[in-house]
Amino acid sequence: MSRSRLVPGADVVAVPGRGLAVRTPEGEFLSVRTADADQDALLSLLTGATAPPRDERLARLVRAFEEAGYLGEEPRTAPWPAARRDVRVLGDPVLTEPLAGQLTALGARPLTAPAAPGGARLTVEDLLDGGPAAVVWCLDGPVPDGLWDAADRLPGHGVAWLRCHREGWQAYVEPVAAAPGDVTSAHVRSRRLAATPAHRELAAYWTGPRTSGASVRLTPPAVTLLTALLADDLTRWATDAPAVSGLPARRRLRQVDLRSLTITEHPVLPVPEVAPMPRKDR
């Protein structure tokens, strides 16, 4: 078994005149009070270079690092589970082809296909054909009304559902929906309409027709960023990796400004079903 060492992202630095400080994975600096303990011996222990200390002062400091979460066993990358390896990738090739390459490198087995062969709408049976563990749908444009209705039913069949689309210079990476009750594309649309005073205009933009100028072309850096976000979300779902920071993946809508590649996270919750209006007896 490998010796414990500083977790990735944690560093210890010697500050002139102030002793040691730890830079946490979150980017904060914390002072380390070593008292009269041997600092060089402590640094050797924190890198896993020496055996556990016999000196109680050093042992106490090492335990403090462990309890704070800055010390652990050497991390191992979790492999992509075989049961979740098959991923159906639908949509526009400008996004699906690089995404498939990233997923393959991570251990998945992507199957790419057009969004809707022959212009027909896909049914949930079409999407479930072949038994994929997950379905990803990428659009280089707004989502036509009803296009994702069938896919929103995938979590109820035990299939993870992830999607992204572009609206002008803004792209949206929607939450992973992996179980009944997770956020669907219909929920995202409802929440976005409820959050803007321009809900009529947004609804009209979605339904079209739209008069546009020169088309927006996704740059290679923008494509890489969008597909990396999708691949990372899928990997974390497949390997059950814990959340690192920020909003939970199943409750997070990310907006990407394609001009500056700035990512903004928004919390999003499922929309509860509305109870039917009671009938009045006459």
Side-chain angles (χ1 to χ4, degrees), residues 83-231:
R84 294 181 172 181
R85 189 164 291 157
D86 290 339
V87 178
R88 176 158 290 151
V89 182
L90 304 170
D92 295 317
V94 67
L95 291 167
T96 59
E97 291 178 0
L99 175 59
Q102 292 194 32
L103 292 176
T104 300
L106 290 166
R109 188 163 47 216
L111 173 64
T112 58
R121 292 293 175 95
L122 297 178
T123 66
V124 70
E125 289 76 18
D126 295 329
L127 296 169
L128 292 172
D129 184 42
V135 172
V136 191
W137 206 325
C138 307
L139 294 179
D140 183 22
V143 185
D145 273 342
L147 181 64
W148 285 349
D149 288 354
D152 276 348
R153 296 162 54 192
L154 288 170
H157 293 269
V159 176
W161 163 224
L162 182 61
R163 59 270 175 204
C164 80
H165 69 281
R166 180 183 61 78
E167 297 176 9
W169 285 112
Q170 290 73 44
Y172 294 87
V173 179
E174 300 194 6
V176 178
D182 279 348
V183 178
T184 66
S185 68
H187 294 160
V188 171
R189 287 168 85 93
S190 295
R191 293 296 187 186
R192 287 186 59 194
L193 288 172
T196 176
H199 55 91
R200 295 180 182 85
E201 290 81 357
L202 181 57
Y205 173 78
W206 285 338
T207 57
R210 296 177 295 274
T211 301
S212 304
S215 60
V216 173
R217 293 185 179 274
L218 288 173
T219 64
V223 169
T224 300
L225 176 59
L226 288 174
T227 55
L229 292 174
L230 292 165

Side-chain angles (χ1 to χ4, degrees), residues 223-274:
V223 169
T224 300
L225 176 59
L226 288 174
T227 55
L229 292 174
L230 292 165
D232 184 68
D233 279 350
L234 271 177
T235 303
R236 293 183 180 280
W237 159 78
T239 60
D240 293 318
V244 178
S245 62
L247 299 168
R250 294 186 182 183
R251 298 292 185 266
R252 175 186 62 199
L253 172 66
R254 285 181 291 196
Q255 178 180 318
V256 180
D257 189 314
L258 299 172
R259 297 163 297 184
S260 63
L261 302 187
T262 302
I263 303 171
T264 307
E265 293 190 352
H266 303 274
V268 60
L269 296 173
V271 178
E273 294 185 10
V274 178

